[in-house]
Amino acid sequence: MPSITQRIADELQVRESQVAAAVKLLDEGSTVPFIARYRKEATGGLDDTQLRTLDERLGYLRELEERRAAILQSVDEQGKLTPELAQQIREADTKTRLEDLYLPYRPKRRTKAQIAREAGLEPLADALLGDPTRAPEAEAAAFVDADRGVADVKAALDGARHILVERLGENAELVGRLRGLMADQGKVFSKVVEEKRAEGAKFSDYFDFAEPLAKVPSHRALALFRGRAQGVLDLRLDLEIPDGEPHPAERIVAAHAGVKDLGRPADKWLGDVCRWTWKLKIGPHVETDLMGGLREQAEDEAIRVFARNLHDLLLAAPAGPRATIGLDPGIRTGVKVAVIDATGKLVDTTTVYPHEPRRDWDGSIAVLAALAHRHKAELVAIGNGTASRETDKLAADLMKRHPELGLTKVMVSEAGASVYSASETAAAEFPALDVSLRGAVSIARRLQDPLAELVKIEPKSIGVGQYQHDVSAGKLARSLDAVVEDCVNAVGVDLNTASVPLLTRVSGLNETIARNIVEFRDRNGAFRSRRQLLDVARLGPKTFEQAAGFLRIRDGDTPLDQSTVHPEAYPVVERILKATGRDLGSVIGDARFLRSLNAEDFTDQRFGVPTVEDILKELEKPGRDPRPEFKTAEFKEGVNELKDLVPGMVLEGVVTNVTAFGAFVDVGVHQDGLVHISQLANSFVKDPHAVVKAGDVVKVKVLEVDLPRKRI
């Protein structure tokens, strides 16, 4: 078997030395963002996506090796480890193959086959299999022994059958061949459970459904499994076989066992053994395996979709440091209002009642105008929940009546805002603030800096997933946490304004150290340099190494502290300045000068060309934000509800979610519309993410509106 590092290198199509270097760094406690950004020389430039895959495969293959060692030891202790079996176990390249080989040797409760062997029935089984010309009943008569639990001929033959079924059913080669047959040719069949037909109407597409296992897409697989979990659907995996024909799997079992129907006395009995082997032993085992594999693949794809949407949402364009009014729409309870200043600090709150039953439209506009004037607000962020279009109208009227305020209104996704409002994080930030007003603060801050605000919410509550409630919670959490970590570190974090939740996501930091940083900042004032981090409790040299490059200090003691240049590489910058006779202030931002330099002239044993090139790029524009420029969608006037939509209408909207089958777009009518994958572009689209991403402002044409089902 190739080594773990060689296997991963082959899968990633990179050199083994690159993988070995990355594995060493991971084992030493380095994070993926740190390795991707600051250890390019060691890994040959592996990016964060490759490193995430590497880390995942490393875990799987190490588990595989541990299991391999345990199986070898177990079989050896049983005294059954032959050189051939040991070789097969050492060459097994998946957990499934390993478990197939271990099946006959796995310690198990006393089976019917074991009981039959203890009763001395194995010679009967061997005799009938070896010579089908023997008559089963006549042969079995010699094995009837009441003292050994064999009461009659039937009991003897049943025991012999159990022995052969277990022997065949635990043959790794046969099981593997039949698994391959079902994987290649098997179909997933779905039927409705009749008594659930009415209440399970949403699964009506699957009431009489069949599709090749290999072609079932992830969203359909998860819908099928959800239907089964809710007792609406019966699922099975099988081949499509014409009536009256024997099952191909039974023929394969018979061929493997050397059983043929030539009319000999034992042929029918042996044929039954082969049928039992498939129907009762191998068939259910293979079906469980393959349906489990389908579910796992579907979960993985759903998690990938969720992760990509979350990535796009977190890296959505920030409105930036502009005073913002957040409106959390409501009808009976009023519209909650929160005003934040350019730094995100809450400066004012109130509630207005522009809607029935306490409608005070003019009074609400007067209150909002006064707040905007007092706090020099530039933006109005409106949550997209209930009453959002009515509240959007209110903001439009405010802008129309008070053009001197220069306001811009933006509809903001409020998914997860209620989760944040009731969270410990929100309670710690705003202990005296009513829960309902905290949501308005979150909506305002999301517009200003989506990343900084959304990290406070559990990722799965942000609402950009596909069947997220049907997938493994642990696997989903690990994937989404990795996305948040990558996004936070790609953008970088302002050390002097970042919240504890945001700092917690920085490479190398945890919640305890993040709290210690904020407490240090509160006691001692703003950080003046990155080096001060070493004075923070429990933040040692290793943590500093992992985190420092991702933390920014604006207007600190050195301009380099607001850049992505790692403090360990500051000597490289000094070398550049010394060689060119320039000072740092004149070099920063001088693109023509920086591009004229040759990176190789400034390398040394520690820092190679990749690092020096990164430094030169960063000096051109220190601390540049990789997120796109902020722009807004204009919802069509007069289109507020589903019934206002007409086929052929062209609208502007915001992509809220991208799935395997298309993209959902908010056009301002409380119900997102679906752009099916077949309608995303003028050419064939394999992956919707290649065309759109969450947060994109797009133009759409209405093709169809289904009012009863609330579908656009």
Side-chain angles (χ1 to χ4, degrees):
M1 279 291 292
S3 66
I4 287 177
T5 52
Q6 184 60 60
R7 283 192 66 179
I8 296 173
D10 291 344
E11 290 169 13
L12 291 178
Q13 296 185 311
V14 298
R15 298 188 309 278
E16 185 179 5
S17 58
Q18 291 175 270
V19 175
V23 169
K24 184 171 184 290
L25 287 162
L26 288 167
D27 287 344
E28 289 170 354
S30 290
T31 68
V32 166
F34 175 79
I35 298 169
R37 178 79 63 83
Y38 298 115
R39 291 296 179 262
K40 290 178 179 176
E41 284 88 351
T43 68
L46 295 179
D47 63 30
D48 50 4
T49 303
Q50 290 171 308
L51 288 164
R52 290 284 177 204
T53 305
L54 183 155
D55 195 21
E56 190 178 303
R57 288 295 289 155
L58 181 64
Y60 176 90
L61 292 173
R62 282 179 169 172
E63 284 176 13
L64 182 68
E65 290 310 311
E66 285 176 19
R67 185 65 180 144
R68 193 192 313 279
I71 286 173
L72 283 167
Q73 183 179 345
S74 172
V75 180
D76 193 31
E77 286 170 356
Q78 295 173 44
K80 297 175 181 175
L81 188 64
T82 64
E84 294 77 21
L85 179 58
Q87 183 72 6
Q88 286 179 311
I89 291 171
R90 288 193 183 98
E91 288 176 354
D93 58 354
T94 65
K95 290 179 182 177
T96 301
R97 170 67 176 157
L98 207 50
E99 297 303 332
D100 281 353
L101 290 166
Y102 187 45
L103 197 57
Y105 310 99
R106 183 194 296 278
K108 48 175 99 71
R109 291 194 300 270
R110 285 177 78 229
T111 63
K112 289 179 179 178
Q114 282 176 298
I115 294 166
R117 276 192 289 270
E118 289 163 9
L121 294 173
E122 195 153 28
L124 173 60
D126 290 338
L128 293 173
L129 181 63
D131 184 2
T133 61
R134 299 174 186 237
E137 287 77 7
E139 292 292 322
F143 290 86
V144 175
D145 185 342
D147 293 339
R148 302 188 73 174
V150 186
D152 51 27
V153 165
K154 182 180 180 303
L157 289 173
D158 283 350
R161 184 186 292 116
H162 289 311
I163 290 169
L164 291 179
V165 166
E166 184 174 277
R167 188 188 297 171
L168 289 166
E170 293 182 348
N171 182 282
E173 304 309 319
L174 179 58
V175 172
R177 187 175 171 194
L178 291 171
R179 184 185 286 109
L181 170 75
M182 297 303 288
D184 292 341
Q185 298 177 32
K187 280 189 170 184
V188 177
F189 292 90
S190 169
K191 294 280 184 191
V192 64
V193 175
E194 280 305 327
E195 56 268 30
K196 295 273 190 171
R197 181 179 283 271
E199 66 182 88
K202 63 184 175 184
F203 295 104
S204 58
D205 290 348
Y206 306 110
F207 281 0
D208 187 11
F209 172 83
E211 185 169 19
L213 174 73
K215 293 187 176 178
V216 181
S218 66
H219 58 279
R220 211 144 47 228
L222 291 174
L224 288 165
F225 288 124
R226 180 188 283 184
R228 182 172 70 179
Q230 293 181 12
V232 177
L233 302 176
D234 267 335
L235 301 186
R236 67 185 176 91
L237 176 68
D238 209 342
L239 301 179
E240 206 154 30
I241 306 162
D243 290 343
E245 292 244 347
H247 200 292
E250 293 170 13
R251 289 204 300 268
I252 290 171
V253 174
H256 180 87
V259 172
K260 297 177 182 175
D261 188 2
L262 302 176
R264 294 167 296 185
D267 283 346
K268 183 181 181 306
W269 183 84
L270 288 168
D272 288 343
V273 166
C274 295
R275 270 188 293 283
W276 276 41
T277 299
W278 169 246
K279 286 188 175 173
L280 301 181
K281 185 79 174 173
I282 299 180
H285 174 69
V286 164
E287 180 174 8
T288 300
D289 266 8
L290 291 176
M291 292 294 268
L294 175 64
R295 177 171 201 116
E296 191 172 345
Q297 285 175 2
E299 283 192 5
D300 288 347
E301 178 59 24
I303 289 170
R304 270 195 296 276
V305 168
F306 198 151
R308 288 181 71 168
N309 284 335
L310 179 63
H311 176 275
D312 295 337
L313 196 65
L314 291 175
L315 293 186
R322 298 155 77 181
T324 303
I325 299 174
L327 302 181
D328 190 355
I331 296 178
R332 186 180 53 79
T333 56
V335 176
K336 308 301 181 204
V337 184
V339 188
I340 60 172
D341 68 12
T343 67
K345 180 183 174 187
L346 177 64
V347 291
D348 219 331
T349 62
T350 190
T351 302
V352 295
Y353 297 90
H355 315 306
E356 300 295 351
R358 296 173 54 178
R359 182 178 170 89
D360 181 7
W361 190 266
D362 293 342
S364 298
I365 286 179
V367 169
L368 293 175
L371 286 171
H373 179 73
R374 187 184 317 142
H375 299 293
K376 297 181 172 57
E378 296 180 51
L379 299 168
V380 179
I382 305 154
N384 68 343
T386 305
S388 62
R389 282 318 301 268
E390 295 86 343
T391 306
D392 185 56
K393 276 186 189 174
L394 179 74
D397 205 5
L398 167 67
M399 291 160 58
K400 188 175 176 182
R401 293 192 198 182
H402 294 277
E404 77 281 358
L405 293 172
L407 291 169
T408 301
K409 65 180 176 68
V410 184
M411 198 73 78
V412 175
S413 167
E414 60 178 50
S418 58
V419 175
Y420 163 77
S421 300
S423 69
E424 287 182 22
T425 301
E429 276 192 283
F430 305 110
L433 195 63
D434 184 82
V435 170
S436 61
L437 286 166
R438 292 173 187 166
V441 179
S442 180
I443 287 165
R445 285 178 168 177
R446 285 180 190 207
L447 186 58
Q448 211 177 55
D449 190 340
L451 179 60
E453 192 60 23
L454 290 172
V455 292
K456 300 173 185 174
I457 302 167
E458 194 177 10
K460 69 180 182 184
S461 299
I462 292 174
V464 289
Q466 174 189 343
Y467 294 100
Q468 65 257 41
H469 304 297
D470 297 323
V471 304
S472 159
K475 193 186 285 188
L476 177 65
R478 283 193 300 276
S479 175
L480 299 186
D481 283 345
V483 170
V484 177
E485 183 183 30
D486 287 344
C487 289
V488 168
N489 291 288
V491 172
V493 169
D494 188 323
L495 184 56
N496 286 320
T497 61
S499 64
V500 170
L502 187 55
L503 286 166
T504 300
R505 300 293 191 165
V506 171
S507 165
L509 303 185
N510 56 32
E511 189 176 349
T512 301
I513 297 176
R515 288 190 188 284
N516 291 348
I517 288 172
V518 173
E519 286 170 13
F520 182 92
R521 193 172 72 200
D522 292 344
R523 273 197 320 270
N524 302 288
F527 284 87
R528 298 295 305 163
S529 80
R530 284 168 165 168
R531 287 284 164 198
Q532 276 182 278
L533 284 164
L534 291 165
D535 298 329
V536 172
R538 301 184 68 175
L539 200 159
K542 180 69 177 177
T543 303
F544 179 83
E545 175 195 62
Q546 296 296 307
F550 303 103
L551 296 167
R552 313 271 186 272
I553 299 175
R554 305 193 190 287
D555 305 317
D557 293 340
T558 171
L560 288 177
D561 279 353
Q562 72 171 1
S563 73
T564 63
V565 180
H566 197 288
E568 68 185 9
Y570 286 2
V572 176
V573 179
E574 289 162 13
R575 196 153 60 238
I576 292 169
L577 298 178
K578 187 175 179 183
T580 60
R582 301 273 296 263
D583 61 59
L584 186 59
S586 71
V587 166
I588 285 179
D590 190 341
R592 182 181 293 180
F593 167 72
L594 289 164
R595 289 174 189 175
S596 73
L597 300 177
N598 183 358
E600 289 183 8
D601 295 342
F602 306 103
T603 59
D604 58 21
Q605 285 186 321
R606 185 173 184 189
F607 301 109
V609 169
T611 295
V612 178
E613 285 178 343
D614 282 351
I615 289 170
L616 293 173
K617 280 182 200 160
E618 184 62 16
L619 290 175
E620 279 188 38
K621 199 173 179 183
R624 85 183 80 195
D625 194 321
R627 293 174 289 184
E629 192 178 339
F630 178 70
K631 61 179 180 177
T632 61
E634 286 295 325
F635 291 148
K636 195 176 185 75
E637 197 70 37
V639 177
N640 305 314
E641 300 176 59
L642 272 174
K643 63 183 177 59
D644 298 329
L645 294 173
V646 179
M649 194 176 267
V650 175
L651 305 166
E652 195 163 75
V654 180
V655 177
T656 58
N657 198 356
V658 184
T659 70
F661 52 85
F664 287 93
V665 179
D666 177 10
V667 291
V669 294
H670 306 305
Q671 181 67 48
D672 291 351
L674 171 66
V675 183
H676 191 265
I677 186 169
S678 62
Q679 302 283 351
L680 274 173
N682 291 332
S683 54
F684 173 74
V685 175
K686 186 177 180 183
D687 178 9
H689 283 95
V691 182
V692 286
K693 62 181 185 296
D696 279 355
V697 175
V698 295
K699 278 193 175 171
V700 292
K701 179 190 281 188
V702 180
L703 299 180
E704 183 188 340
V705 184
D706 183 342
L707 287 173
R709 297 171 80 184
K710 292 186 176 178
R711 287 186 175 180
I712 314 165

